[in-house]
Amino acid sequence: MSIYWGDLHNHCNITYGYGSLDNALEAARGQLDFCAVIGHAMWPDIPKSRKEWEYEVNYHLEGFRKLREGWDRVQRTVSEANVDGKFVTFQGYEMHSLKYGDHHFLSPDDKMPLLEAESPGALMEMLAAYPVMAVPHHIGYPPGQRGANWDSFREANSPLVEVYSKHGCSMSDESAYPFLHTMGPRDSRSTVFHGLRQGKRFGFVASTDHHAGYPGSYGDGRLAVLATAKTRTAIWDALMNRRVYAVTGDKIVCGFQVNGADFGSIIQDAPLRRISLSVRGCDRLDKIVVYKNTHPWKVICGEELEMAVQDGGLDGGGMFGADRSGVGTYKVRVELGWGKPAEAFAWQGRLAIDGGSIVSAETCFRGRSVLAPTPEMGDDDNMNKLDQRLHSLSEAEAEWTCASFKNPTTLHPATAAVIFELAGGTGTRLRLTINGRDIAVGLGELLEGSRSYPMGDLLSETVLVHKAVPECAYTFAGEWEDRERLSGNDFYHAEVRQVNGQYAWITPVYLDEAL
Ligand SMILES: [Zn+2]
């Protein structure tokens, strides 16, 4: 089985949201394997009578009407965009609910009808003739205010729960990325940990909830599935069986097994549990925690990974090789942005390598940062046509185009990046051409630290070539045995944190004595 990347919850102008569906699908094809671009469809308990919410109520109702009117066209476009083996799509739409929390309904069936109901459970009954799942999202909001309603959660209806999006992280009180949107804070009773402690079983996914038609927008949430093929049937099977995990943005490749069963499995309880975890990150690993029944069980400190390799023989080689030439594999991130452009700033990039080779490249492209409509924002079909693409990639060179925006706050990036995995040593040289400007830098220099290259004067857009990360610092593999059975329903999951604040939250393996 292979890992594939997707976004199952994001919006464009098929309802309230911005940018066209066609451009959204084009953006998704650029950096994802599968996606669902969904419309807002209903809000049974919308607070219509509140005068001060008139703007919010109206844009919601107008959005629902727009989706209903365009539904046939939306469904056809999504269906036609599915090309098994190349790019997979799913149908879907969304229900808001104060009482039950928000859900999106996903289906691999192109005929899934757009129906309305009073609750997610009632809608699932009405859709019983179709393969459909209801995914609770932004669950961390307070109970009764569109946060999780664990009392009404049904494992059979909801194999997946969205644990991270542009709204923040819903894992636990202690998680990074608290809720800061107008809808309110994170409440512990609505978190993933609260549900797991009640014995609920589900897979962890992340998706952007992007509202300007940019599925997979970097940093806002993506999910990984472990599937037999890049086809609708195979990916749906992975989703239904919880073979998923959530990431913030970086495509951190993880394997996690208990007694040989992959993440998401529900397996026979056993007195001896063999646990294995492998991680291939995109930046230096900071901390890895394996949890047992939501409590930390093993903690791995990132700094020690590199120290272990150095202790293991810097003299005799270690991470810098026997001849000190540093021959090995490294990740180097080329990030573009800053400045204060009024609109999207267009970048053209090229990287050529001397004395080494490019092993792989991963894009970190974003759309405009939009989470909800505002009165001043007007729609434009092409606001999500950003032409961000990796145009070519070979061992010797890579070419790409991307766009960046003015960082909206000093704590919120709107940059674009490409992460290159390079094979080489301290003698390897990177030759970049960015918007016509030539930049040359040695891998040896980058192992000491980052280098930035302003494109003009102070306040101009800038290129940042990050500090190079040796393979030993972005990879991990561990195996453990646990003979301490706490119950017949113990479960294990893992969290991976990189130094750049990017995370992976890996779905538990659940033991079950009743099997
Ligand atoms: Zn949404």
Side-chain angles (χ1 to χ4, degrees):
M1 286 196 278
S2 305
I3 295 282
Y4 299 103
W5 300 96
D7 178 348
L8 295 172
H9 173 206
N10 57 83
H11 307 287
C12 64
N13 69 11
I14 58 175
T15 45
Y16 64 82
Y18 306 100
S20 76
L21 175 58
D22 286 333
N23 289 331
L25 291 165
E26 189 59 34
R29 273 188 286 265
Q31 35 186 12
L32 302 175
D33 300 300
F34 65 96
C35 117
V37 182
I38 64 177
H40 305 96
M42 71 201 88
W43 186 347
D45 56 0
I46 190 168
K48 270 188 192 157
S49 56
R50 293 282 292 273
K51 191 82 187 114
E52 64 273 32
W53 290 346
E54 197 178 340
Y55 170 74
E56 279 78 10
V57 169
N58 284 343
Y59 84 64
H60 279 97
L61 297 180
E62 175 56 23
F64 304 156
R65 186 196 59 76
K66 197 173 172 188
L67 182 68
R68 245 172 277 125
E69 277 177 11
W71 182 242
D72 289 346
R73 188 184 62 84
V74 168
Q75 235 175 5
R76 203 176 334 117
T77 307
V78 168
S79 166
E80 284 166 6
N82 185 77
V83 182
D84 275 353
K86 288 211 161 75
F87 181 70
V88 169
T89 62
F90 295 101
Q91 302 284 351
Y93 51 84
E94 172 169 343
M95 176 196 286
H96 305 324
S97 172
L98 293 170
K99 183 176 176 188
Y100 299 103
D102 284 24
H103 290 71
H104 49 287
F105 298 82
L106 299 171
S107 179
D109 190 330
D110 288 322
K111 295 191 187 64
M112 174 202 200
L114 177 50
L115 303 177
E116 284 185 70
E118 287 303 305
S119 70
L123 186 59
M124 287 300 286
E125 278 181 32
M126 291 165 71
L127 291 168
Y130 301 86
V132 180
M133 66 169 71
V135 184
H137 62 244
H138 58 50
I139 66 166
Y141 285 117
Q145 288 183 49
R146 299 173 65 183
N149 181 332
W150 287 116
D151 293 336
S152 65
F153 178 86
R154 296 287 170 273
E155 201 173 299
N157 286 346
S158 299
L160 309 177
V161 169
E162 188 180 288
V163 305
Y164 175 87
S165 73
K166 223 165 163 41
H167 291 261
C169 178
S170 300
M171 287 299 294
S172 77
D173 272 334
E174 283 88 25
S175 299
Y177 301 110
F179 278 39
L180 300 173
H181 186 43
T182 50
M183 286 165 63
R186 180 169 66 195
D187 183 307
S188 76
R189 295 166 296 177
S190 301
T191 59
V192 169
F193 276 25
H194 192 78
L196 290 172
R197 285 169 187 165
Q198 292 177 19
K200 315 289 185 197
R201 299 183 294 195
F202 49 85
F204 301 168
V205 295
S207 289
T208 57
D209 204 1
H210 198 270
H211 278 60
Y214 214 90
S217 186
Y218 177 75
D220 294 344
R222 297 169 174 175
L223 70 139
V225 302
L226 185 62
T228 51
K230 200 203 286 196
T231 63
R232 226 186 218 188
T233 311
I235 292 177
W236 183 253
D237 179 72
L239 299 174
M240 288 298 290
N241 288 293
R242 303 168 300 273
R243 284 198 309 278
V244 294
Y245 62 87
V247 298
T248 45
D250 279 353
K251 292 176 175 174
I252 303 168
V253 176
C254 303
F256 182 61
Q257 298 181 320
V258 178
N259 290 348
D262 290 307
F263 46 81
S265 302
I266 299 175
I267 58 169
Q268 174 72 52
D269 179 33
L272 169 64
R273 294 88 183 258
R274 289 180 204 281
I275 295 148
S276 68
L277 172 67
S278 66
V279 178
R280 190 168 187 84
C282 310
D283 198 349
R284 203 168 287 273
L285 298 172
D286 186 14
K287 188 180 174 188
I288 297 172
V289 183
V290 179
Y291 291 86
K292 178 180 182 181
N293 304 343
T294 73
H295 302 290
W297 179 73
K298 288 288 172 211
V299 180
I300 296 108
C301 170
E303 286 85 346
E304 288 175 2
L305 298 176
E306 209 170 341
M307 283 160 62
V309 174
Q310 286 170 340
D311 292 349
L314 191 59
D315 303 337
M319 62 178 284
F320 290 111
D323 57 358
R324 296 292 206 149
S325 64
V327 172
T329 307
Y330 301 87
K331 289 214 174 177
V332 175
R333 188 177 301 241
V334 179
E335 189 172 7
L336 311 164
W338 293 271
K340 47 175 198 174
E343 266 304 308
F345 185 85
W347 295 93
Q348 256 192 321
R350 180 173 179 274
L351 170 68
I353 298 290
D354 295 333
S357 61
I358 304 175
V359 178
S360 69
E362 174 185 331
T363 61
C364 307
F365 298 156
R366 309 175 207 258
R368 278 177 174 74
S369 183
V370 179
L371 181 55
T374 51
E376 60 277 7
M377 201 166 155
D379 188 29
D380 165 5
D381 253 3
N382 283 333
M383 73 159 55
N384 53 347
K385 194 176 177 63
L386 297 169
D387 193 31
Q388 307 199 81
R389 274 182 299 148
L390 191 60
H391 294 269
S392 66
L393 176 67
S394 70
E395 282 192 2
E397 61 173 68
E399 282 188 309
W400 73 98
T401 51
C402 60
S404 66
F405 302 88
K406 179 175 180 281
N407 293 329
T409 78
T410 53
L411 297 174
H412 183 172
T415 55
V418 183
I419 309 163
F420 293 101
E421 190 167 24
L422 304 176
T426 49
T428 301
R429 286 191 73 71
L430 289 74
R431 285 188 291 113
L432 285 154
T433 309
I434 309 285
N435 288 6
R437 179 177 168 183
D438 292 322
I439 296 165
V441 60
L443 188 56
E445 240 181 293
L446 294 173
L447 279 162
E448 316 244 307
S450 62
R451 298 285 185 271
S452 64
Y453 305 91
M455 298 299 286
D457 296 334
L458 193 66
L459 309 183
S460 67
E461 289 71 26
T462 296
V463 178
L464 174 62
V465 185
H466 285 245
K467 184 175 179 179
V469 186
E471 190 174 26
C472 64
Y474 63 83
T475 55
F476 172 78
E479 280 186 9
W480 307 272
E481 284 187 356
D482 185 15
R483 294 170 190 275
E484 199 181 340
R485 180 182 182 274
L486 299 179
S487 86
N489 292 88
D490 290 335
F491 56 94
Y492 302 81
H493 84 272
E495 176 182 282
V496 178
R497 181 172 88 197
Q498 299 181 160
V499 293
N500 64 350
Q502 295 287 306
Y503 280 77
W505 292 282
I506 308 173
T507 295
V509 175
Y510 300 93
L511 278 70
D512 189 340
E513 64 186 345
L515 282 185

